[in-house]
Amino acid sequence: LMTLDGDIIHQWYCPRNTAFPDTQRTDSDKKARSFRRAYIVPDSGSPGELIGIYNGTGMVRLTYDSRVKWTQSEMCHHDLGFSEDGSKLFTFIQTKRLVPVVNPDEPVMDEFIATVDIASGNVLDRVSLLDAFHRSSYAPMLKKIPASGDVLHANTIHSVTVAQAERIAFLEPNDLLISMRNMDAIAVYRPMQKRIIWAMTGFWMAQHEPSILSNGHFLLFDNVGEQGHSKVVEFNPMTQEIVWMYDGTESDPLYSTTSGACHRLSN
């Protein structure tokens, strides 16, 4: 935890082998040895606790002094988001399975949205994203995904707050805003209905980190959608109008070969 000037206020440290001592990995698995994403637990009653994801291994909850409070060994990856009341978190779990609407002959890597109890780390529910698309009016988008491998590659998940839902007509509190890199799409998943209720693509490729701004617009990082370069895009989800973007300069264009993120500051 740092100030904007880079002064360290506090630090948490937990090697993956400490959280998962029985996990055997090879040298090619170096990316999963550190946190892909970590957040301070909101309103936990124990200030300074942290939940972090080791990509493809699992997640861990740490106390303020880095003691392991619980671990979850599901194959969660990339991101996690907290419910507004602070009782649950949401993340992605990948599972290879046969999905006939995508490929009737070969299993593909499906993404499951998992609901996790923050207090215990137990998975309370999981729903296939492919099924959530298939049972929605956005099912035709599945015809554009690859027929094998990691067909969705979900990389961002945010729980919609009451204030955000009040600004955007099609949203409800506790909806989940998600990003799927390999579909070049972002979407809204409604847990109560277990289906996609809104999706959008076309202005970006391999995007990351969509978020909802206080003005009711969306912000995201477009990795390679601007003539092979990256850009940050703010757009109106109701009209699909791009209202602001940043793509660097002509002599120094913005470019991120992988991942990428963007956050609007309070000022």
Side-chain angles (χ1 to χ4, degrees):
L1 182 67
M2 296 186 293
T3 68
L4 287 177
D5 296 323
D7 297 326
I8 296 176
I9 299 171
H10 184 71
Q11 58 185 1
W12 297 260
Y13 179 66
C14 184
R16 186 186 60 183
N17 289 343
T18 298
F20 299 94
D22 296 330
T23 302
Q24 298 296 320
R25 298 288 181 176
T26 64
D27 288 341
S28 63
D29 188 45
K30 293 179 180 178
K31 288 184 178 179
R33 294 179 181 176
S34 56
F35 291 141
R36 166 74 188 215
R37 186 62 59 91
Y39 290 114
I40 293 175
V41 182
D43 303 324
S44 66
S46 302
E49 296 197 344
L50 193 82
I51 294 180
I53 288 178
Y54 305 94
N55 223 35
T57 297
M59 68 173 65
V60 62
R61 178 169 177 171
L62 302 177
T63 62
Y64 180 77
D65 56 355
S66 297
R67 289 181 291 109
V68 175
K69 195 164 186 175
W70 55 251
T71 60
Q72 174 53 256
S73 59
E74 297 277 6
M75 292 283 286
C76 55
H77 66 97
H78 273 81
D79 198 16
L80 60 92
F82 296 102
S83 62
E84 191 167 19
D85 66 5
S87 65
K88 299 183 289 291
L89 65 83
F90 308 96
T91 188
F92 301 113
I93 294 174
Q94 282 190 330
T95 302
K96 183 172 284 190
R97 70 185 188 100
L98 191 67
V99 185
V101 295
V102 177
N103 188 329
D105 304 313
E106 178 185 342
V108 298
M109 192 65 76
D110 193 4
E111 300 280 3
F112 286 76
I113 292 181
T115 304
V116 179
D117 178 62
I118 287 182
S120 65
N122 294 331
V123 175
L124 304 174
D125 184 38
R126 68 184 77 200
V127 177
S128 158
L129 258 181
L130 288 174
D131 290 348
F133 267 96
H134 185 58
R135 64 172 65 102
S136 79
S137 58
Y138 293 91
M141 293 179 70
L142 296 180
K143 296 184 181 298
K144 300 181 183 298
I145 65 175
S148 62
D150 184 6
V151 297
L152 297 178
H153 196 89
N155 59 30
T156 310
I157 188 166
H158 290 302
S159 182
V160 175
T161 66
V162 171
Q164 291 169 341
E166 289 175 348
R167 297 302 302 265
I168 303 174
F170 61 81
L171 292 181
E172 292 182 1
N174 302 313
D175 283 347
L176 299 176
L177 174 64
I178 58 178
S179 168
M180 292 142 293
R181 187 194 70 180
N182 290 358
M183 286 183 75
D184 299 324
I186 64 173
V188 174
Y189 170 77
R190 183 152 295 164
M192 292 297 293
Q193 300 177 9
K194 299 187 185 300
R195 67 184 181 94
I196 299 298
I197 59 99
W198 178 90
M200 183 174 169
T201 187
F203 292 155
W204 48 72
M205 291 179 63
Q207 76 293 327
H208 288 73
E209 206 71 22
S211 60
I212 303 173
L213 303 178
S214 59
N215 60 5
H217 294 167
F218 286 2
L219 189 77
L220 62 71
F221 190 94
D222 173 14
N223 279 72
V224 291
E226 187 70 22
Q227 298 179 340
H229 300 302
S230 305
K231 64 179 182 291
V232 179
V233 181
E234 177 186 349
F235 66 95
N236 184 328
M238 303 295 292
T239 65
Q240 300 191 15
E241 175 192 8
I242 294 180
V243 298
W244 177 88
M245 93 176 169
Y246 173 77
D247 59 359
T249 65
E250 185 175 347
S251 60
D252 187 20
L254 180 65
Y255 183 58
S256 175
T257 58
T258 185
S259 299
C262 53
H263 298 274
R264 176 66 52 84
L265 300 182
S266 58
N267 62 3

